[in-house]
Every structure is written in structure tokens, then in C-alpha cells.
Amino acid sequence: MTITMLYSKLHRATVTDANLNYVGSITIDRDLLDSAGLRLGQKVDIVNINNGERFSTYVIEGERGKRDMCLNGAAARKAEIGDKIIVIAYALMTEEEADSYKPKVILLGEDNKLEEIRDYV
């Protein structure tokens, strides 16, 4: 049996842009993708701390070092620039894998600056 478990998350990211006219997805700075172990095209859930919205989309790469967190397409209607969000990725694991896996939790500060990396929830 496999179960769906938290893989990693970017916690308290700040939305830097919202582009309604893009095809869709969330653009995330390459440095932040690397820190969380996220892949291009990977499905993620977005939780908007400001308004309670929850939705799924997929990851596209933003320019390294710009600290971008841009909601695109229909997702742009779910948040406003400056909103705090959590980007959550999950993975299917066997029960044995889940017993030993430590999810990566990336805590972000102002301007999406990486403040801390935790290997636990």
C-alpha cells in the first residue's frame, strides 16, 4: 500500500506577482525550487494564508535569485500581490518509506528570503 505524505513545502512565501493572461501555474525562483527539492511541472497545492483559498497547480521555473512567487492564469484570481501563501508538495510512499522520510520545510521571511530549512514538519 502507498499513502500520500508531505514531501516538502515553502512556508509563508509572499506573492510577488499575479499574471492572469499566462497559461497557468506558479512561477517560483529557481533557488527556492532547489531548496525545497521541487521539480518543474510538479503538482503543488497552494494555501493562501490571507484569504483561506486552497488550490492545485504546477511549478514553472523563475529566474534564480529574484525570489519570484507569481501566480499565473486562473490561479492569479486566488491571491493578491503581498499575500502570504504556503506551497505544498506531496509524494506517494510505502508505509516503510513514510516511517523514515523527513519532509523539507523551507521557512521564508520578508521578500521570500530563505530563513531556515527544517527536515521535519
Side-chain angles (χ1 to χ4, degrees):
M1 173 172 52
T2 59
I3 54 178
T4 304
M5 298 292 295
L6 174 65
Y7 171 75
S8 69
K9 72 177 181 172
L10 294 165
H11 192 75
R12 295 190 62 82
T14 303
V15 175
T16 60
D17 198 7
N19 184 351
L20 186 60
N21 296 312
Y22 191 81
V23 176
S25 67
I26 184 168
T27 304
I28 302 175
D29 176 300
R30 178 79 247 182
D31 287 336
L32 297 176
L33 293 177
D34 291 345
S35 68
L38 296 175
R39 298 175 178 271
L40 304 183
Q42 183 173 1
K43 179 182 177 181
V44 292
D45 285 347
I46 309 297
V47 178
N48 186 324
I49 295 168
N50 292 73
N51 66 20
E53 288 279 358
R54 298 178 73 96
F55 56 95
S56 298
T57 190
Y58 62 92
V59 172
I60 62 173
E61 181 176 1
E63 189 175 330
R64 189 179 293 279
K66 287 190 69 178
R67 298 187 183 140
D68 286 338
M69 195 67 57
C70 177
L71 293 169
N72 301 301
R77 297 258 191 225
K78 303 285 190 178
E80 296 190 24
I81 295 171
D83 280 0
K84 295 290 185 185
I85 62 173
I86 304 169
V87 179
I88 307 167
Y90 304 94
L92 290 175
M93 300 180 192
T94 64
E95 290 181 19
E96 293 77 22
E97 289 171 321
D99 286 343
S100 62
Y101 184 75
K102 303 285 188 223
K104 250 186 199 183
V105 176
I106 310 304
L107 303 177
L108 300 177
E110 290 303 311
D111 299 318
N112 293 326
K113 182 179 178 187
L114 195 151
E115 288 194 345
E116 185 180 348
I117 298 175
R118 295 183 182 171
D119 287 330
Y120 58 91
V121 179

